[in-house]
């Protein structure tokens, strides 16, 4: 399991490289076909700034070669915002006095119909972490109910056991997304003071359990800005590399959520600038050439339109981050975070077309799940 | 040359360039590139299309009166999944031709020889015309041939790599031994690679990435058509043998010893 591997990674050495990467390190990384983590760190270091046009162009070329001029479209469906955790940065924190909802099966159907009507065939079920409302039988039933409408169903919910993930797979779930939030263990403890989420290693091993249960795609990431973003990005890179090597049948994706304003008013420790996020995306393309890289509506339309050709292969659009948000404008449910790109899916697809890219709505088939 | 048809399972094709439909920036560019390629066989990933909706943009872009739509099982990780997809395609009204792809590795998309053979045996028995995508393994090719596959489709190099023919030695053995058409699939990045495969005696080539992601996909499709044709003509004309020592183009022997 990755928690055993993680113990062997010298975080001090990673930090040393982060603080000491030079222009020569960046040039060396740019000249290599297979990068190691030290090369990755060089590419996201301040020393990389002067090489950014070259890094970006290499990332763009690799992305086009491996994925073509296509962007896979997906939508999140928030089924519940009940949560037992006390994450200091999250709108769903159980201590926040906000409206909470767990969708009934009828409400799920209405939300799903609205999402499908926009053209989406790739769906991500998202929830807060409270198994009293949103447990494995509920998620399995939702997946089974939605399977006829969607080609691919993913989950981004509380970490589950291998057996529970197997149950979800049997009911039509093919993808798992789980963010470690931060790989800095002390900080992790500090920002997750209560609830099951405070168990660092249990969360860290979640991708292993999902892959062992037969999930076809595993998505990982950190909440950029929570800790030292370069250290966190390097740890995501190592984790992705581990998953690719150990679960060779599993497709790995990486997302880049930046901390956004939410209930609770938490401010990031280490804000990530647009330029730094751009460098991180390019560096992941060069380090994990075949990984799916995801950019959500957390980012502005302007930023997404500028950066997507340089590594991104999957985007959400028209997202609602509260349960019931697609069909119930009066929903009392609090949003998890405020989206920045509020264009409709059709508007996003048209913008992609203007840039010479095709929005792909279906790139999977339920027969494969 | 006008009689130089490629025959697969009794169907004749003038063009020996097959094209794929992934990675294009739009269906319009894809259609124009297919037209420019003059290809008569176009592969479509079943996972990308909605066969329940005949108006599906990608399918509607292909002129099936002239072109054989060859559904492929891309995304399948096992024989079972590939078979499921093939049966679904046939039940949805596709012709019973199937490009069999079993690629459990999502990174390099290398084909699984064991699962491919397993699926091929079953699909052939069910009446499918099976064109399997495989690594350049001569023995596997013989097994697939014996199983009743209509062609074999060995890779030139990993899919999407554009690295050209890196499996030359094995391809030569496959071409020499095959009793079914050999279609070099995957890795061809330039028209010269297509020409090289055809000069070696391949019966056809399949190209996707190199056309779809080119600066001008339509012009590149045209170039691949020419490269494929040039290679075929060179093969039929019988290439002059290579020599490791210099040899004058006009024989000197008579002059020196007369």
């Amino acid at each position: 399991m990755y928690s055993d591997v993680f113990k062997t990674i010298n975080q001090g050495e990673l930090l040393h490289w982060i603080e000491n990467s030079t222009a020569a390190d960046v040039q060396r990384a740019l000249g290599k076909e297979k990068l190691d983590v030290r090369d990755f760190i060089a590419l996201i270091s301040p020393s990389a700034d002067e090489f950014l046009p070259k890094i970006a162009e290499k990332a763009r070329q690799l992305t086009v070669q491996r994925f073509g001029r296509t962007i896979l479209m997906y939508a999140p469906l928030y089924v519940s915002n009940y949560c037992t955790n006390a994450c200091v940065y999250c709108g769903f924190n159980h201590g926040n006095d906000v409206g909470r909802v767990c969708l009934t099966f009828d409400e799920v159907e209405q939300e799903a119909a609205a999402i499908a009507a926009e053209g989406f065939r790739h769906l991500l079920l998202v929830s807060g972490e409270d198994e009293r409302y949103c447990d494995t039988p509920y998620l399995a039933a939702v997946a089974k109910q939605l399977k006829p409408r969607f080609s691919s169903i993913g989950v981004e919910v509380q970490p589950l056991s291998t057996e529970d993930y197997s149950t979800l797979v049997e009911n039509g779930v093919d993808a798992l997304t789980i963010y470690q939030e931060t790989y800095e263990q002390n900080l992790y403890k500090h920002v997750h003071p209560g609830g099951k989420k405070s168990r660092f290693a249990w969360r860290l091993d979640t991708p292993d359990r999902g892959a062992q249960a037969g999930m076809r795609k595993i998505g990982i990431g950190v909440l950029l800005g929570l800790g030292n973003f370069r250290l966190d990005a390097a740890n995501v890179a190592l984790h992705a590399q581990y998953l690719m090597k150990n679960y060779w049948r599993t497709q790995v994706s990486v997302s880049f959520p930046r901390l956004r304003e939410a209930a609770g008013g938490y401010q990031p420790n280490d804000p990530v600038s647009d330029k730094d996020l751009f460098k991180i995306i390019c560096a992941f393309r060069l380090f994990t050439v075949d990984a799916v890289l995801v950019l959500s509506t957390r980012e502005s339309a302007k930023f997404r339109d500028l950066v997507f050709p340089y590594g991104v292969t999957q985007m959400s659009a028209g997202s609602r981050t509260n349960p019931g948000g697609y069909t119930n404008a009066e929903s009392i449910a609090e949003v998890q975070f405020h989206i920045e790109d509020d264009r409709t899916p059709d508007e996003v697809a048209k913008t992609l077309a203007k840039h010479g890219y095709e929005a792909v709505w279906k790139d999977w088939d339920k027969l494969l799940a | 040359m006008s009689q130089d048809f490629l025959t697969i399972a009794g169907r004749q094709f003038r063009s020996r360039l097959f094209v794929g439909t992934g990675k294009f920036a739009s269906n319009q560019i894809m259609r124009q590139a297919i037209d420019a390629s003059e290809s008569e066989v176009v592969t479509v990933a079943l996972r990308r299309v909605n066969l329940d909706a005949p108006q599906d943009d990608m399918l509607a872009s292909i002129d099936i009166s002239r072109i054989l739509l060859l559904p492929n099982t891309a995304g399948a990780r096992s024989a079972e999944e590939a078979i499921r997809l093939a049966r679904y395609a046939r039940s949805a009204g596709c012709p019973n031709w199937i490009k069999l792809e079993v690629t459990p590795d999502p990174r390099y998309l290398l084909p699984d020889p064991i699962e491919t053979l397993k699926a091929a045996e079953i699909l052939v028995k069910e009446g499918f015309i099976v064109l399997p995508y495989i690594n350049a393994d001569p023995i596997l090719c013989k097994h697939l041939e014996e199983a009743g596959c209509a062609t074999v489709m060995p890779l030139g190099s990993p899919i999407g790599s554009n690295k050209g023919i890196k499996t030359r030695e094995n391809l030569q053995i496959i071409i020499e031994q095959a009793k079914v058409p050999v279609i070099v699939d995957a890795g061809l990045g330039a028209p010269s690679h297509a020409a090289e495969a055809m000069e070696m005696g391949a019966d056809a080539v399949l190209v996707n990435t190199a056309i779809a992601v080119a600066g001008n996909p339509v012009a590149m499709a045209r170039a691949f058509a020419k490269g494929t044709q040039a290679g075929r003509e060179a093969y039929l004309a019988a290439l002059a043998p290579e020599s490791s020592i210099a040899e004058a183009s006009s024989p000197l022997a008579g002059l020196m010893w007369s």
Side-chain angles (χ1 to χ4, degrees), chain A residues 33-34 64-66 68-70 216 244 248-251 290 356-358 360 362-364 367-369, chain B residues 23-25 46-49 75-77 81 84-85 88 104-108 159-161 163 209 213-214:
Chain A
E33 196 173 335
K34 300 276 181 200
V64 169
Q65 184 196 340
R66 299 302 296 144
R69 292 186 177 87
T70 63
R216 307 289 290 261
M244 287 173 171
W248 61 277
R249 291 184 177 86
T250 305
Q251 186 170 50
D290 302 290
Y357 280 68
E358 183 188 11
V360 171
K362 178 179 184 288
D363 193 27
W364 191 246
L367 288 171
L368 291 164
Chain B
K23 300 188 180 179
F24 282 95
L46 288 164
R47 69 160 196 250
R48 275 287 298 272
V49 300
R77 293 192 310 185
E81 289 171 359
R84 219 185 291 154
L85 278 173
Y88 169 58
D105 152 28
R107 297 175 66 192
Y108 291 100
I159 199 164
S161 68
K163 289 186 174 175
T209 300
V213 310

Side-chain angles (χ1 to χ4, degrees), chain A residues 337-350:
Chain A
F337 58 87
H338 296 283
I339 66 166
E340 295 290 317
D341 182 352
D342 57 5
R343 291 174 296 179
T344 65
D346 186 51
E347 285 170 337
V348 172
K350 282 181 177 151

Side-chain angles (χ1 to χ4, degrees), chain B residues 74-130:
Chain B
R77 293 192 310 185
S78 64
E80 186 196 340
E81 289 171 359
I83 291 166
R84 219 185 291 154
L85 278 173
R87 289 174 181 161
Y88 169 58
R90 184 158 68 177
S91 68
C94 288
N96 64 340
W97 292 57
I98 194 83
K99 184 185 170 206
L100 178 59
E101 293 187 28
V102 185
T103 53
D105 152 28
R107 297 175 66 192
Y108 291 100
L109 298 173
L110 291 169
D112 183 328
I114 297 161
E115 294 293 303
T116 301
L117 180 59
K118 212 187 290 179
E121 286 171 338
I122 292 169
L123 289 171
V124 167
K125 280 183 190 149
E126 292 186 6
F128 282 93
I129 295 165
V130 180

Side-chain angles (χ1 to χ4, degrees), chain A residues 3 44 48 61 149 195 329 343 353:
Chain A
S3 57
I44 60 172
Q61 285 179 10
R149 273 192 203 278
R343 291 174 296 179

